[in-house]
Amino acid sequence: MLKSLILILMGGVLINNYVLNQFLGICPFLGVSKKVNQASGMGLAVIFVMLFATAATWPIYNYVLVPLKIEYFQTIVFILVIATLVQFVEIILKRFIPSLHASLGIYLPLITTNCAVLGVTINNITAGYNFLESMVSSLGVGLGFLLAMLLFAGVRSKLDDSNAPKCFRGLPVTLIAASIVAMAFYGFAGIVENLLA
Amino acid sequence: MKNNKLSILLRGIIAENPVLILILGTCPTLAVTGNVTSALSMGLAATVVLICSNVVISALRKVIPDTVRVPCYIVIIAAFVTAVQMLLQAFLPSIYEMLGVYLALIVVNCVILGRAEMFARKNTVLDSAFDGLGMGLGFILALFLMAFIREVFGAGSFMGIELGFMQKFKIPVLAAAPGGFLVYGILIAVMNKLTEKKGGVKKKSFSCEGCPSAAICTSKPCLNNEKKEEVENA
């Protein structure tokens, strides 16, 4: 039981890294990775929202949509739940924990339509995880997102000093750097099975 | 008048190509271009949703209140995505399996919300339909180009058919995840070079301008905006 949970967690962080392997959440990955502190703020906000979103969508799917036999409404319901939830979390944070709102709040509106959040909730349902496994999987995916953001922010701070050809400046050279970081993540494939074998 | 419609159509294909110039919809672009078949089916599915949602949003543009327009757009788009999902599941189950979660993620595809925000809410139904078609064709073209490079040079095949002469020279990493970033980066650089010579097209930097969250962000200091930099500098 514990072993399978660790496998799900590590799989989300390293092997099936949403950004570098599954290409989900590329917009914030490329947009908000210019500075390390921004990248970590965004990463933490994503973990936060992913956990909340999973905690909300899993029961809704299994206790509302399945009994009513309207599973095909999954996409519409999930995106609405996530959008409402983000607004809700923002209001609550602003009211009760202003310090956390000050550090994470600005990232929250950006996350509403982040495909990684919708992706992880749908993937949890498709994989047939139970509630605990879904939460662990979301945590893993969120941590993987944070890790990728931090690593890439580090790489990217060096890019500003590089003397790239004119047509490569800006986005192209950033994408090529992302490609090299993704290649490094390839090394993690297989590490998890061996870790627990 | 007809000329005008034609220019709206053509603009989406080249001058304002959603993927290579406007840099919208990066996630599906990178994810489904490992082979040509999935890239084409993704492109077609997104185009259908784009045309339908553009038409409906444009038709309802006077009804939808400005303050809640983004949630309204999302519901309209999600409805069409669900319809496309159900049609594919019923008639082309193999493609439904292949696209998997990315099919549902058309909902948050920046191309569709971006066009709703940038074009459909300000233009007539017919113009929006042409814009949707043009942008859709541009999206398909860009996906096809990327998938062609990645499948032929990465996997040595084309639409699943092995090309004998390519087998010796294939570069497997191109078909894998890092190759997606690499090919996309190089294609954008090539587009930059080409448009730079013409001196015409104004390129947009990567920002939340086209991102679905942009509308929500404008009220707050958005991190990718120059606004935020101004705030920081001040």
Side-chain angles (χ1 to χ4, degrees):
Chain A
M1 180 63 192
L2 189 64
K3 191 177 162 185
S4 76
L5 286 183
I6 294 174
L7 270 182
I8 292 174
L9 184 74
M10 297 308 282
V13 179
L14 297 176
I15 303 170
N16 293 320
N17 190 291
Y18 264 37
V19 177
L20 295 169
N21 199 332
Q22 316 265 317
F23 302 117
L24 296 174
I26 300 289
C27 298
F29 176 66
L30 295 175
V32 200
S33 59
K34 278 180 195 140
K35 288 178 190 144
V36 175
N37 58 345
Q38 288 180 354
S40 60
M42 184 71 184
L44 288 175
V46 164
I47 297 181
F48 200 67
V49 172
M50 272 182 181
L51 286 175
F52 268 95
T54 311
T57 53
W58 195 90
I60 287 176
Y61 183 83
N62 283 289
Y63 300 121
V64 179
L65 298 188
V66 172
L68 292 175
K69 294 198 171 59
I70 47 167
E71 291 96 330
Y72 53 85
F73 273 130
Q74 185 190 359
T75 314
I76 302 185
V77 171
F78 279 20
I79 186 81
L80 283 179
V81 167
I82 293 170
T84 338
L85 196 83
V86 172
Q87 291 292 315
F88 200 61
V89 167
E90 204 196 343
I91 293 167
I92 292 192
L93 278 186
K94 205 172 187 175
R95 175 74 183 75
F96 295 107
I97 324 174
S99 58
L100 194 61
H101 180 261
S103 52
L104 297 188
I106 38 170
Y107 304 96
L108 287 174
L110 281 171
I111 298 171
T112 319
T113 45
N114 180 340
C115 45
V117 177
L118 184 62
V120 76
T121 55
I122 293 177
N123 273 344
N124 284 341
I125 301 293
T126 319
Y129 289 151
N130 63 30
F131 186 69
L132 187 64
E133 285 169 338
S134 298
M135 291 305 282
V136 170
S137 144
S138 298
L139 179 65
V141 168
L143 286 175
F145 185 81
L146 177 66
L147 180 68
M149 289 285 281
L150 284 179
L151 283 179
F152 193 57
V155 172
R156 211 170 161 181
S157 59
K158 302 269 176 203
L159 271 183
D160 292 338
D161 308 327
S162 67
N163 187 16
K166 200 178 166 205
C167 62
F168 270 92
R169 273 182 208 158
L171 189 61
V173 76
T174 313
L175 280 166
I176 288 166
S179 157
I180 296 166
V181 176
M183 230 178 273
F185 260 72
Y186 249 48
F188 288 123
I191 210 174
V192 171
E193 291 99 80
N194 294 327
L195 207 66
L196 294 170
Chain B
M1 198 61 189
K2 202 186 168 219
N3 207 3
N4 184 22
K5 300 266 181 291
L6 195 68
S7 72
I8 291 176
L9 188 71
L10 288 178
R11 203 178 53 195
I13 300 175
I14 300 162
E16 286 189 20
N17 188 298
V19 177
L20 298 173
I21 306 280
L22 297 181
I23 323 287
L24 295 172
T26 32
C27 302
T29 308
L30 291 165
V32 299
T33 49
N35 67 70
V36 176
T37 322
S38 65
L40 285 181
S41 20
M42 180 64 179
L44 281 174
T47 305
V48 170
V49 176
L50 182 58
I51 296 173
C52 295
S53 67
N54 254 7
V55 166
V56 171
I57 287 166
S58 159
L60 294 176
R61 70 185 185 282
K62 295 203 176 93
V63 184
I64 299 175
D66 218 31
T67 41
V68 290
R69 61 177 193 278
V70 174
C72 293
Y73 297 164
I74 292 178
V75 174
I76 293 168
I77 295 166
F80 284 116
V81 170
T82 309
V84 168
Q85 263 183 307
M86 288 166 91
L87 286 173
L88 279 181
Q89 196 174 13
F91 297 109
L92 295 164
S94 60
I95 288 182
Y96 179 79
E97 290 290 317
M98 187 164 61
L99 292 178
V101 70
Y102 298 106
L103 198 56
L105 290 176
I106 295 178
V107 179
V108 283
N109 186 327
C110 311
V111 178
I112 296 169
L113 249 168
R115 288 326 285 175
E117 186 68 25
M118 289 185 221
F119 196 91
R121 80 188 174 99
K122 296 173 207 147
N123 289 283
T124 61
V125 174
L126 200 60
D127 282 353
S128 302
F130 276 105
D131 179 71
L133 183 63
M135 285 290 158
L137 288 176
F139 189 59
I140 294 178
L141 198 72
L143 286 192
F144 177 77
L145 192 64
M146 267 190 72
F148 183 82
I149 297 172
R150 287 181 67 189
E151 195 183 348
V152 169
F153 295 100
S157 61
F158 180 73
M159 294 186 89
I161 304 155
E162 277 200 6
L163 303 171
F165 59 93
M166 278 309 295
Q167 288 300 319
K168 272 186 193 166
F169 309 106
K170 66 180 178 186
I171 314 162
V173 77
L174 283 184
F181 288 110
L182 190 71
V183 173
Y184 192 29
I186 292 173
L187 275 183
I188 294 174
V190 170
M191 282 306 271
N192 281 354
K193 192 80 194 166
L194 291 177
T195 49
E196 177 197 56
K197 263 184 195 162
K198 277 185 192 164
V201 188
K202 185 181 162 276
K203 285 182 296 291
K204 295 200 171 115
S205 65
F206 193 90
S207 71
C208 22
E209 195 169 325
C211 149
S213 324
I216 318 167
C217 290
T218 44
S219 58
K220 296 168 196 302
C222 168
L223 283 157
N224 307 338
N225 275 348
E226 289 86 4
K227 255 184 284 166
K228 172 70 180 171
E229 276 163 27
E230 279 167 24
V231 171
E232 276 182 354
N233 294 338

